[in-house]
Amino acid sequence: MPQAQSFDRPEKEPPDAPEDGLRSLQGELILLIADQARRVPFLVVFSAGLVALLVAAHVPPMYPAAWWVLTALATWVHSRIVGGLPSDGARSEAARLRLAALSFTGHAMVLAAVFAFFPFVPVTTGAVITIYSVALCAATLPATAGYRPIFLPYAVVTLGPIAPLWALTPGIAASGFDRLVFVVMTAVYFAAMLGHAKGAYRVFTESYAIRQQRLDLNRQLRRALEQAQSASRAKTRFLASASHDLRQPIHALSLFTGSLLMRPLDPRTSAIAEQIDKSVKTLASQLDALLDVSRLDAGVIDRAIETVDLKVLLTQLGEEFAPQAQKKGLRLHVHCPQSVLVSTDPLLFQRILRNLLSNAIKYTEHGHVELRAQALGDKVRVSVADTGPGIPAEEQERVFEEFYQLNNPERDRSKGLGLGLAIV
């Protein structure tokens, strides 16, 4: 017998499906009914054939055979009519649902013609006919989402003859009380099916409302994402432009402060000049970081891969950061095997190591900082280690976010912008 179906949408959408993937409520109902109608023809015809075989043992076989052929033809026509409703653009959705109701009712009348054999078969075969009709009605409930204009006439046609036949057929070996009980049970079952149909249609409409809300939310999220991406692109363009334009005057200011410090100055003026020079260097470093981030976000950094002597590169970095380490009383160790050649972009690679070394020295108060290269087969592992406080496990992902810093709640810019590890 046809199996109960869920209210999920079919995997394949008809060609006229709307862009947002959701029709009107009537359109979704038509889509569901059409999909179910295409699924069940074989089961309906096969089960009708079994019933016809049982009936043929008690009546002239030509009659159940004719009913079965008529059932197969009606099922094929019904499947074609209802299955083609979603793509029927010539009719309104309301008209298509009316056509579906007529098709279901006509199909039910052909199937219910099996009750004509009821007075001529034994009670066991009559029970099979009854079960067959009840199952058809039960399977049609989810196949139509309990939509009353379709389900009610179908239920009346398939269930209506059951009670009169069992109550009035003279050849049935049953008492008057038994017949009355059966009639009452049939009426109760019919009422229960109508109640289930009402509940099924309510579930369908609620499911539709939920899906509509989900689509509306998705559209809002897409708009918000587009706005965020637009704002991010604007930020990137601004940072790239501002950082580039500001580097020139900052560079000139750095030259002026350097020239000023080379002149003989009184102690008070010299101290002021040193503070200016320190501030200019901090500002230049922060602008460099902003420019790096903006270029990375914009995707305009090109790699220039070449063969690099790692020993020379790491030694240069060690010499560059040695004064900073000594100023904090730290030991800076550089370890690298002799004549190690690697393929890399030297500028980008040095930028990575500079950020790591700067962080290591900045956050280490005692002990040492180590820059080490270790050969691993045809590759080399380069690491920066220190004796600083380390990074808590719960923060080890966040430290790579832009502008995120540990132990700097007051946002002291002398400690940087929090871009070093994000750039790395």
Side-chain angles (χ1 to χ4, degrees), residues 56-80:
H58 308 285
V59 300
M62 60 177 296
Y63 295 115
W67 171 77
W68 181 76
V69 171
L70 184 61
T71 295
L73 180 62
T75 301
W76 180 79
V77 172
H78 172 69
S79 177
R80 295 284 295 178

Side-chain angles (χ1 to χ4, degrees), residues 228-241 243 288-302 348 400-403 418-419 421-424:
Q229 290 174 336
S230 177
S232 178
R233 288 191 294 268
K235 178 211 72 173
T236 298
R237 290 192 298 269
F238 169 76
L239 288 177
S241 176
S243 299
D288 287 340
L290 286 173
L291 181 58
D292 284 342
V293 168
S294 62
R295 292 173 64 202
L296 287 166
D297 286 344
V300 297
I301 290 184
D302 295 323
L348 295 180
F400 291 97
E401 298 175 6
E402 295 178 5
F403 304 106
L419 292 175
L421 292 181
I423 293 172
V424 171

Side-chain angles (χ1 to χ4, degrees), residues 161-181:
I162 294 177
L165 286 172
W166 279 93
L168 303 176
T169 300
I172 298 178
S175 66
F177 178 76
D178 292 339
R179 293 169 184 260
L180 178 61
V181 170

Side-chain angles (χ1 to χ4, degrees), residues 181-205:
V181 170
F182 196 88
V183 170
V184 172
M185 289 180 62
T186 303
V188 170
Y189 179 78
F190 182 80
M193 291 298 291
L194 293 182
H196 288 313
K198 183 178 181 180
Y201 188 69
R202 183 177 65 252
V203 170
F204 177 79
T205 55

Side-chain angles (χ1 to χ4, degrees), residues 337-351:
Q338 295 291 334
S339 302
V340 177
L341 300 179
V342 296
S343 294
T344 186
D345 181 315
L347 295 180
L348 295 180
F349 186 53
Q350 287 183 72
R351 184 62 170 155

